Amino acid sequence: MKESEILSNIASRLNIHQLNEMQKAMLKRAATPGDITLLSPTGSGKTLAFLIPLLKTLKEPNGKLQAVIIAPSRELVTQIFEITRVLASSHKVSCCYGGHSMLDEKQSLAVVPSILISTPGRLVDHIQRSNIDVYSTRLLILDEFDKSLELGFHEEMKKIVKNMPNVSRKILTSATMISEMPDFVKLNCLTVLNFLYKNSETRSRMKVWRAESSAKDKLDALRLLLLSLDDKKTIVFANYRESVDRIYTYLKENHIAAGIYHGALEQIDREKAIAMFNNESYNILITTDLGSRGLDIDGVAHIIHYHLPASAEAYTHRNGRTARVDNDGEIFVITAPEESLPDYINTDETFAMPQTAPRNSIAAKNVTLYFMAGKKEKISRGDIVGFIANNSLLTASEIGKIDVKDHYSLVAVPAQKAKQVLSELSTCKIKNKKVKIGFAKVV
């Protein structure tokens, strides 16, 4: 694709009319051959930055796989997929990841895409099953490469690279650098574009508070802190799945609406968790470090470290969920008595923890309706809007965010009207089909 066409698509389809400094550097670098390592803070627009050289190198659709993008998490794969298919609309774009229907993916790959986005393990699985031939791939992109090249992914990455002898360019991106690059990556004529100095600019938009718990168990301190904040989006980070579940149960018992997100959840529950956080069915998300990377979440105002992060890199990625682009954010680090902060955490002030809660609860603004039909059943957002507006008390403008997945859909509706809306819709048909509808649950 020509540069003018790429920039026009970015403006018209993503409503981005000015590239930032890092994206401009990638646009310039894309004109010359050689591999690229891009280091830039979380939330700085790396996805768009690496898609620019990808789009510039795309040839007309020719029935062969031209580019492969590897990302370490399912959520990051789907996020990249949504942006890529919008910008490369004349090309087929497919995505593959664990927890997704293998049959649906195999059928999608039967017509070879120009671009494939996948997690490492799922791509190896498709290669071994001969569902996709990656031999023709010319461009390989490793997003969040520090995570993808961790020990657990080495064997998968080796197999992928081995099956791509015709790759002429590799692009690696991350918000943190690894100490040593594995030999099998084999970078040639490498250019490193390092924008990590921008971290200091991001830090200037963050206020970091130390929140002291009077007890070793931090649950009550977390409750008091949450009830003291405004109702803007908040992510609470804990180090263990069991801790996430425990925090969620405690907050629920104390009438604080929240969601949970961690690796032990089924894929559908992980997808629902992020969708319901985005559509304001709750404004508090409790997660492990899995939630620190690759999630498409806008407007996070507060980050709370319930547990201290295990490393400086983990701290960076957690905080990267807020103060994105030009926005501000607040960071709260809860410490137990005699718990000291690591050197990489520098706080600005100590939060004045109240002795009693300033309010009793945090309620959800919206409730999410769950439709047991999606893209594969030929259901669209427009279909859902018309169905709800024509068969319930809600107007189209009252309907919140709609997420249409392969085999189900999620729709945000005002909490106060949710029961009546569900009752009114329960006997109606959408596109002449009876579709089961209920309330989406957190887990």
Side-chain angles (χ1 to χ4, degrees):
M1 294 174 64
K2 294 181 180 179
E3 182 176 317
S4 58
E5 183 183 359
I6 295 170
L7 295 177
S8 176
N9 284 351
I10 291 171
S12 63
R13 297 172 185 174
L14 299 181
N15 199 30
I16 297 174
H17 299 278
Q18 180 69 39
L19 300 181
N20 63 31
E21 180 185 355
M22 177 264 294
Q23 292 161 347
K24 288 177 180 176
M26 282 292 281
L27 178 61
K28 181 178 179 181
R29 180 62 184 84
T32 57
D35 296 333
I36 304 170
T37 294
L38 173 63
L39 303 173
S40 191
T42 299
S44 58
K46 291 190 292 296
T47 300
L48 183 56
F50 69 66
L51 285 179
I52 290 171
L54 183 154
L55 296 169
K56 282 181 71 74
T57 59
L58 277 183
K59 299 177 181 178
E60 290 298 316
N62 56 13
K64 295 182 179 180
L65 186 62
Q66 300 186 45
V68 171
I69 304 172
I70 303 293
S73 71
R74 306 166 184 180
E75 290 74 17
L76 188 51
V77 164
T78 57
Q79 178 184 329
I80 296 169
F81 169 73
E82 293 298 335
I83 298 173
T84 305
R85 69 173 184 161
V86 167
L87 294 179
S89 56
S90 61
H91 290 263
K92 183 180 180 183
V93 183
S94 295
C95 69
C96 303
Y97 51 88
H100 196 212
S101 167
M102 177 64 80
L103 178 60
D104 285 349
E105 290 181 356
K106 181 178 179 181
Q107 291 173 342
S108 174
L109 295 174
V111 177
V112 180
S114 296
I115 305 166
L116 177 61
I117 307 156
S118 181
T119 51
R122 183 51 68 99
L123 179 54
V124 169
D125 202 0
H126 281 296
I127 292 172
Q128 292 176 337
R129 294 170 185 243
S130 299
N131 293 338
I132 187 68
D133 185 355
V134 298
Y135 183 84
S136 61
T137 305
R138 304 288 294 174
L139 176 65
L140 174 62
I141 297 174
L142 306 181
D143 193 25
E144 301 280 12
F145 70 84
D146 57 322
K147 194 72 174 176
S148 291
L149 294 177
E150 281 183 350
L151 187 61
F153 287 115
H154 267 212
E155 291 305 313
E156 287 91 342
M157 294 305 303
K158 275 185 181 180
K159 291 176 182 177
I160 290 168
V161 172
K162 182 179 179 181
N163 280 275
M164 295 181 179
N166 294 307
V167 168
S168 57
R169 166 171 275 176
K170 300 184 185 79
I171 298 175
L172 286 68
T173 79
S174 183
T176 53
M177 185 57 172
I178 59 175
S179 58
E180 185 176 355
M181 194 70 68
D183 292 338
F184 66 82
V185 179
K186 298 178 182 177
L187 299 175
N188 298 306
C189 301
L190 177 65
T191 296
V192 178
L193 299 178
N194 192 341
F195 288 85
L196 292 181
Y197 67 89
K198 294 283 187 179
N199 275 323
S200 60
E201 296 179 13
T202 304
R203 176 63 176 88
S204 70
R205 300 195 307 275
M206 295 177 179
K207 184 159 188 178
V208 182
W209 300 85
R210 180 168 185 161
E212 297 177 340
S213 171
S214 60
K216 186 176 180 181
D217 189 326
K218 302 176 183 179
L219 285 175
D220 193 55
L222 175 63
R223 179 184 67 87
L224 290 172
L225 175 57
L226 289 170
L227 291 170
S228 301
L229 300 178
D230 57 34
D231 288 333
K232 294 179 181 177
K233 287 180 183 172
T234 300
I235 300 181
V236 180
F237 283 100
N239 290 346
Y240 313 103
R241 297 169 180 173
E242 295 80 8
S243 300
V244 169
D245 292 337
R246 179 170 175 259
I247 293 167
Y248 167 72
T249 299
Y250 176 82
L251 294 183
K252 184 178 179 180
E253 290 172 349
N254 283 274
H255 311 291
I256 296 175
I260 61 172
Y261 180 86
H262 56 63
L265 298 177
E266 296 291 334
Q267 177 63 20
I268 187 172
D269 290 324
R270 287 164 62 170
E271 291 175 354
K272 285 193 302 180
I274 301 308
M276 292 168 70
F277 189 44
N278 269 328
N279 72 22
E280 298 185 278
S281 288
Y282 43 75
N283 280 334
I284 299 167
L285 182 68
I286 312 150
T287 180
T288 59
D289 281 326
L290 180 67
S292 67
R293 299 181 186 233
L295 298 184
D296 187 14
I297 300 171
D298 294 325
V300 176
H302 312 122
I303 297 296
I304 299 176
H305 299 272
Y306 180 85
H307 288 141
L308 297 181
S311 65
E313 290 76 17
Y315 183 63
T316 296
H317 284 286
R318 286 181 179 187
N319 291 348
R321 294 295 93 201
T322 190
R324 297 169 75 84
V325 191
D326 295 321
N327 296 317
D328 296 331
E330 287 187 293
I331 313 297
F332 297 86
V333 183
I334 303 179
T335 56
E338 301 181 5
E339 186 174 31
S340 58
L341 295 176
D343 293 340
Y344 52 81
I345 298 181
N346 298 305
T347 59
D348 299 317
E349 285 188 50
T350 298
F351 184 77
M353 192 73 75
Q355 295 300 309
T356 57
R359 51 180 171 157
N360 296 321
S361 64
I362 299 176
K365 175 184 175 182
N366 293 325
V367 169
T368 297
L369 298 181
Y370 179 89
F371 285 66
M372 290 187 65
K375 296 174 185 175
K376 300 296 183 180
E377 289 74 36
K378 309 300 182 184
I379 299 296
S380 69
R381 288 182 178 87
D383 296 329
I384 291 172
V385 170
F387 172 68
I388 295 175
N390 292 331
N391 295 288
S392 78
L393 77 162
L394 291 186
T395 64
S397 62
E398 291 180 290
I399 301 169
K401 195 173 187 299
I402 299 174
D403 290 275
V404 182
K405 305 297 185 180
D406 281 351
H407 294 290
Y408 71 94
S409 303
L410 302 172
V411 186
V413 298
Q416 293 180 337
K417 300 180 179 180
K419 287 185 178 179
Q420 185 176 346
V421 171
L422 180 60
S423 175
E424 291 170 340
L425 297 179
S426 62
T427 58
C428 301
K429 293 183 178 180
I430 179 169
K431 295 186 75 173
N432 295 317
K433 300 176 185 176
K434 188 72 174 71
V435 173
K436 187 174 181 180
I437 306 171
F439 290 131
K441 297 180 181 179
V442 174
V443 288

